[in-house]
Amino acid sequence: MQQGTTVKPVRLGLVGIGKIARDQHLPAIADDDRFVLAATASRHAQLEGIDAHHDIADMVAGRALDAVSLCTPPEGRYEQALIAIEAGLHVMLEKPPAVSLSHISELKRAARRAGVTLFATWHSREAAGVEPARAWLADREIREVRIEWREDIRRWHPGQEWILAPGGFGVFDPGINALSIATAILPHALLLQRATMDVPEGRASPLAVRMDMHCGAAPVHAHFDFLQTGPQTWTIEVDTDAGTLSLTMGGSIVQFPGEQPRTEPDREYPRLYARFAELIAAGESDVDVRPLRLAADAFTIAERRIIEPFSF
Ligand code: NAP
């Protein structure tokens, strides 16, 4: 159990009881005594012994809550977050924080006006290798960056039709995790120059994306693919004046030039909830839109190619 820093735990409402809520949020909340799960809002799911509601408006109406954590798909999250903020509740957002930059900027303004915390989480930034990689790269000359994020949509997102619908982000749903790491560890801003997107016929969002960016003078190439069967790849390699740093397994393993790979047990979601508790206690918000901005840039300038229809 985490040691509590406040006398009264934050009474939390969890919205969208799906895969990530069950896999990560519930264990992290249960293991942190700064939070108590007080209510849920989900149309098809309930948790035994927890006050259950069909939607967030109903859940916040009673107001025996201090905060909500949104684990729903990004489409609809703006409306849900606004309901919570206007009810005076602190809000933690799963990634990507919203479907548009305008939405997240409005949420930021609304949270400031209401005097509540808004935390746009990027769970991959909490992977064990990310902070050591950032610290090592801070003084290095970056020469080239290669990002490969290739996974099997049918294995990790079975039946999640929303991912390929408008606002579902397609392969950016995992790819934005790579962008969240890259924007955290690289010492200069990432700027997009060119992109291509492969969108299956009859769907709105891409199954594959290539992005050519630069970071200072260094080229940055990213390839996201949702049709990778066999071994799965979540890798970032950074060539520098002192050799190549690599982050593998979504940032959980870091390898510095000439050294053995290093890792630690996964603490991504416990660290997110710890940060949420700290932000609430300090009366602050944390909303970094850089990964979302790069994805939005890609949706704006990419060349689209229609590929064969996809079904789960
Ligand atoms: P999911 O399994 O589909 O769960 C989302 C839940 O949200 C659903 O069970 C659903 O519960 C509720 N919901 C509300 N409105 C919905 C709508 N219009 N369409 C579909 N579901 C809706 O999705 P997930 O994998 O947990 O992902 C949710 C968010 O977490 C996404 O932003 C994703 O990027 C992020 N995330 C996912 C993973 C992962 O490994 N899956 C990892 C990190 C982050 P009710 O039907 O009961 O309302």
Side-chain angles (χ1 to χ4, degrees):
M1 293 283 262
Q2 298 290 309
Q3 218 32 48
T5 51
T6 53
V7 180
K8 280 187 164 182
V10 173
R11 296 167 299 176
L12 189 72
L14 197 61
V15 184
I17 309 299
K19 185 173 190 307
I20 200 62
R22 291 184 191 276
D23 288 357
Q24 297 288 348
H25 288 256
L26 289 172
I29 294 163
D31 206 31
D32 190 328
D33 63 8
R34 288 165 293 195
F35 293 94
V36 59
L37 184 60
T40 61
S42 211
R43 298 161 307 177
H44 304 98
Q46 301 190 355
L47 301 173
E48 208 182 323
I50 306 291
D51 181 28
H53 301 266
H54 187 262
D55 61 49
I56 187 169
D58 190 38
M59 184 179 81
V60 305
R63 263 315 295 279
L65 291 175
D66 305 302
V68 302
S69 180
L70 299 185
C71 306
T72 47
E75 177 66 50
R77 204 176 281 150
Y78 166 74
E79 291 78 5
Q80 295 157 0
L82 205 55
I83 287 170
I85 290 168
E86 288 177 350
L89 304 178
H90 308 295
V91 174
M92 173 162 151
L93 303 169
E94 253 300 351
K95 46 63 52 168
V99 291
S100 76
L101 290 161
S102 310
H103 280 169
I104 191 65
S105 128
E106 271 310 298
L107 289 180
K108 222 169 135 179
R109 202 202 317 259
R112 207 169 28 238
R113 218 171 25 230
V116 299
T117 291
L118 180 65
F119 181 25
T121 65
W122 298 107
H123 68 88
S124 291
R125 285 184 176 170
E126 306 300 333
V130 172
E131 175 52 27
R134 186 206 62 75
W136 191 85
L137 289 168
D139 303 324
R140 298 293 187 298
E141 180 192 314
I142 310 298
R143 298 200 168 152
E144 185 175 323
V145 183
R146 294 172 296 280
I147 302 173
E148 293 285 337
W149 228 251
R150 292 186 271 121
E151 66 178 54
D152 184 352
I153 185 174
R154 293 185 176 94
R155 176 167 160 195
W156 301 104
H157 306 275
Q160 291 183 351
E161 294 284 343
W162 60 264
I163 265 191
L164 294 175
F169 284 81
V171 75
F172 274 106
D173 182 79
I176 206 163
N177 297 335
L179 298 176
S180 76
I181 295 175
T183 48
I185 65 173
L186 293 172
H188 313 291
L190 279 166
L191 291 175
L192 182 67
Q193 294 168 297
R194 267 180 307 276
T196 58
M197 285 187 180
D198 292 348
V199 181
E201 191 186 329
R203 302 277 190 172
S205 296
L207 278 179
V209 170
R210 286 184 187 274
M211 297 169 76
D212 292 329
M213 298 170 274
H214 58 87
C215 169
V220 179
H221 304 291
H223 179 205
F224 307 148
D225 187 353
F226 238 161
L227 295 178
Q228 167 95 354
T229 53
Q232 308 284 287
T233 307
W234 301 282
T235 299
I236 299 178
E237 290 177 324
V238 187
D239 294 344
T240 76
D241 54 333
T244 298
L245 171 143
S246 65
L247 276 171
T248 51
M249 292 306 291
S252 61
I253 302 175
V254 63
Q255 185 166 18
F256 300 109
E259 294 186 17
Q260 291 298 311
R262 297 184 201 173
T263 191
E264 285 171 21
D266 172 25
R267 301 266 316 146
E268 292 181 17
Y269 280 80
R271 289 169 64 160
L272 289 180
Y273 276 95
R275 173 93 178 118
F276 191 33
E278 285 163 16
L279 288 168
I280 292 171
E284 293 172 3
S285 288
D286 179 351
V287 181
D288 178 4
V289 300
R290 288 176 295 164
L292 180 62
R293 194 161 56 209
L294 282 169
D297 286 351
F299 276 103
T300 305
I301 71 171
E303 176 194 341
R304 256 97 170 156
R305 301 187 299 216
I306 303 301
I307 59 169
E308 60 187 40
F310 171 86
S311 54
F312 280 94

PDB file of all heavy atoms in Angstrom, residues 218-229:
ATOM      1  N   ALA A 218      17.975  16.483 -36.577  1.00  0.00           N
ATOM      2  CA  ALA A 218      17.955  15.019 -36.737  1.00  0.00           C
ATOM      3  C   ALA A 218      16.642  14.533 -37.348  1.00  0.00           C
ATOM      4  O   ALA A 218      15.560  14.944 -36.903  1.00  0.00           O
ATOM      5  CB  ALA A 218      18.156  14.356 -35.374  1.00  0.00           C
ATOM      6  N   PRO A 219      16.714  13.620 -38.331  1.00  0.00           N
ATOM      7  CA  PRO A 219      15.480  13.025 -38.843  1.00  0.00           C
ATOM      8  C   PRO A 219      14.881  12.030 -37.843  1.00  0.00           C
ATOM      9  O   PRO A 219      15.622  11.339 -37.140  1.00  0.00           O
ATOM     10  CB  PRO A 219      15.938  12.299 -40.117  1.00  0.00           C
ATOM     11  CG  PRO A 219      17.394  12.063 -39.949  1.00  0.00           C
ATOM     12  CD  PRO A 219      17.923  13.132 -39.024  1.00  0.00           C
ATOM     13  N   VAL A 220      13.558  11.993 -37.804  1.00  0.00           N
ATOM     14  CA  VAL A 220      12.844  11.068 -36.912  1.00  0.00           C
ATOM     15  C   VAL A 220      11.822  10.325 -37.770  1.00  0.00           C
ATOM     16  O   VAL A 220      10.949  10.956 -38.381  1.00  0.00           O
ATOM     17  CB  VAL A 220      12.115  11.828 -35.779  1.00  0.00           C
ATOM     18  CG1 VAL A 220      11.356  10.857 -34.882  1.00  0.00           C
ATOM     19  CG2 VAL A 220      13.098  12.664 -34.966  1.00  0.00           C
ATOM     20  N   HIS A 221      11.942   9.012 -37.854  1.00  0.00           N
ATOM     21  CA  HIS A 221      11.025   8.217 -38.668  1.00  0.00           C
ATOM     22  C   HIS A 221      10.172   7.353 -37.746  1.00  0.00           C
ATOM     23  O   HIS A 221      10.724   6.624 -36.911  1.00  0.00           O
ATOM     24  CB  HIS A 221      11.791   7.324 -39.639  1.00  0.00           C
ATOM     25  CG  HIS A 221      12.730   8.089 -40.517  1.00  0.00           C
ATOM     26  ND1 HIS A 221      12.283   8.940 -41.504  1.00  0.00           N
ATOM     27  CD2 HIS A 221      14.078   8.159 -40.532  1.00  0.00           C
ATOM     28  CE1 HIS A 221      13.314   9.501 -42.095  1.00  0.00           C
ATOM     29  NE2 HIS A 221      14.418   9.053 -41.523  1.00  0.00           N
ATOM     30  N   ALA A 222       8.870   7.430 -37.934  1.00  0.00           N
ATOM     31  CA  ALA A 222       7.978   6.608 -37.112  1.00  0.00           C
ATOM     32  C   ALA A 222       7.128   5.733 -38.012  1.00  0.00           C
ATOM     33  O   ALA A 222       6.642   6.180 -39.062  1.00  0.00           O
ATOM     34  CB  ALA A 222       7.076   7.491 -36.251  1.00  0.00           C
ATOM     35  N   HIS A 223       6.964   4.479 -37.597  1.00  0.00           N
ATOM     36  CA  HIS A 223       6.117   3.540 -38.335  1.00  0.00           C
ATOM     37  C   HIS A 223       5.207   2.847 -37.333  1.00  0.00           C
ATOM     38  O   HIS A 223       5.685   2.173 -36.425  1.00  0.00           O
ATOM     39  CB  HIS A 223       7.011   2.514 -39.059  1.00  0.00           C
ATOM     40  CG  HIS A 223       6.244   1.492 -39.812  1.00  0.00           C
ATOM     41  ND1 HIS A 223       6.746   0.251 -40.110  1.00  0.00           N
ATOM     42  CD2 HIS A 223       4.987   1.510 -40.341  1.00  0.00           C
ATOM     43  CE1 HIS A 223       5.838  -0.444 -40.778  1.00  0.00           C
ATOM     44  NE2 HIS A 223       4.763   0.302 -40.927  1.00  0.00           N
ATOM     45  N   PHE A 224       3.899   3.069 -37.501  1.00  0.00           N
ATOM     46  CA  PHE A 224       2.907   2.415 -36.639  1.00  0.00           C
ATOM     47  C   PHE A 224       2.122   1.429 -37.503  1.00  0.00           C
ATOM     48  O   PHE A 224       1.644   1.805 -38.577  1.00  0.00           O
ATOM     49  CB  PHE A 224       1.903   3.432 -36.053  1.00  0.00           C
ATOM     50  CG  PHE A 224       2.528   4.603 -35.357  1.00  0.00           C
ATOM     51  CD1 PHE A 224       1.897   5.852 -35.381  1.00  0.00           C
ATOM     52  CD2 PHE A 224       3.721   4.483 -34.661  1.00  0.00           C
ATOM     53  CE1 PHE A 224       2.454   6.944 -34.740  1.00  0.00           C
ATOM     54  CE2 PHE A 224       4.280   5.571 -34.013  1.00  0.00           C
ATOM     55  CZ  PHE A 224       3.645   6.809 -34.051  1.00  0.00           C
ATOM     56  N   ASP A 225       1.966   0.207 -37.027  1.00  0.00           N
ATOM     57  CA  ASP A 225       1.258  -0.806 -37.817  1.00  0.00           C
ATOM     58  C   ASP A 225       0.381  -1.632 -36.878  1.00  0.00           C
ATOM     59  O   ASP A 225       0.863  -2.122 -35.848  1.00  0.00           O
ATOM     60  CB  ASP A 225       2.287  -1.702 -38.530  1.00  0.00           C
ATOM     61  CG  ASP A 225       1.629  -2.671 -39.494  1.00  0.00           C
ATOM     62  OD1 ASP A 225       0.385  -2.745 -39.522  1.00  0.00           O
ATOM     63  OD2 ASP A 225       2.370  -3.370 -40.220  1.00  0.00           O
ATOM     64  N   PHE A 226      -0.885  -1.773 -37.243  1.00  0.00           N
ATOM     65  CA  PHE A 226      -1.858  -2.484 -36.406  1.00  0.00           C
ATOM     66  C   PHE A 226      -2.071  -3.928 -36.868  1.00  0.00           C
ATOM     67  O   PHE A 226      -2.921  -4.623 -36.324  1.00  0.00           O
ATOM     68  CB  PHE A 226      -3.209  -1.746 -36.471  1.00  0.00           C
ATOM     69  CG  PHE A 226      -3.728  -1.284 -35.137  1.00  0.00           C
ATOM     70  CD1 PHE A 226      -4.702  -0.276 -35.056  1.00  0.00           C
ATOM     71  CD2 PHE A 226      -3.293  -1.852 -33.948  1.00  0.00           C
ATOM     72  CE1 PHE A 226      -5.209   0.151 -33.832  1.00  0.00           C
ATOM     73  CE2 PHE A 226      -3.800  -1.435 -32.715  1.00  0.00           C
ATOM     74  CZ  PHE A 226      -4.758  -0.436 -32.666  1.00  0.00           C
ATOM     75  N   LEU A 227      -1.324  -4.361 -37.904  1.00  0.00           N
ATOM     76  CA  LEU A 227      -1.561  -5.704 -38.444  1.00  0.00           C
ATOM     77  C   LEU A 227      -0.357  -6.607 -38.237  1.00  0.00           C
ATOM     78  O   LEU A 227      -0.138  -7.536 -38.997  1.00  0.00           O
ATOM     79  CB  LEU A 227      -1.908  -5.610 -39.946  1.00  0.00           C
ATOM     80  CG  LEU A 227      -3.212  -4.882 -40.269  1.00  0.00           C
ATOM     81  CD1 LEU A 227      -3.428  -4.815 -41.777  1.00  0.00           C
ATOM     82  CD2 LEU A 227      -4.404  -5.566 -39.595  1.00  0.00           C
ATOM     83  N   GLN A 228       0.414  -6.327 -37.200  1.00  0.00           N
ATOM     84  CA  GLN A 228       1.614  -7.119 -36.930  1.00  0.00           C
ATOM     85  C   GLN A 228       1.234  -8.389 -36.192  1.00  0.00           C
ATOM     86  O   GLN A 228       0.801  -8.342 -35.029  1.00  0.00           O
ATOM     87  CB  GLN A 228       2.584  -6.292 -36.084  1.00  0.00           C
ATOM     88  CG  GLN A 228       3.706  -7.078 -35.475  1.00  0.00           C
ATOM     89  CD  GLN A 228       4.961  -7.024 -36.341  1.00  0.00           C
ATOM     90  OE1 GLN A 228       4.941  -6.493 -37.449  1.00  0.00           O
ATOM     91  NE2 GLN A 228       6.039  -7.565 -35.847  1.00  0.00           N
ATOM     92  N   THR A 229       1.413  -9.513 -36.832  1.00  0.00           N
ATOM     93  CA  THR A 229       1.214 -10.783 -36.124  1.00  0.00           C
ATOM     94  C   THR A 229       2.595 -11.301 -35.704  1.00  0.00           C
ATOM     95  O   THR A 229       3.605 -10.716 -36.063  1.00  0.00           O
ATOM     96  CB  THR A 229       0.490 -11.806 -37.022  1.00  0.00           C
ATOM     97  OG1 THR A 229       1.202 -11.892 -38.243  1.00  0.00           O
ATOM     98  CG2 THR A 229      -0.947 -11.384 -37.289  1.00  0.00           C
TER      99      THR A 229
END
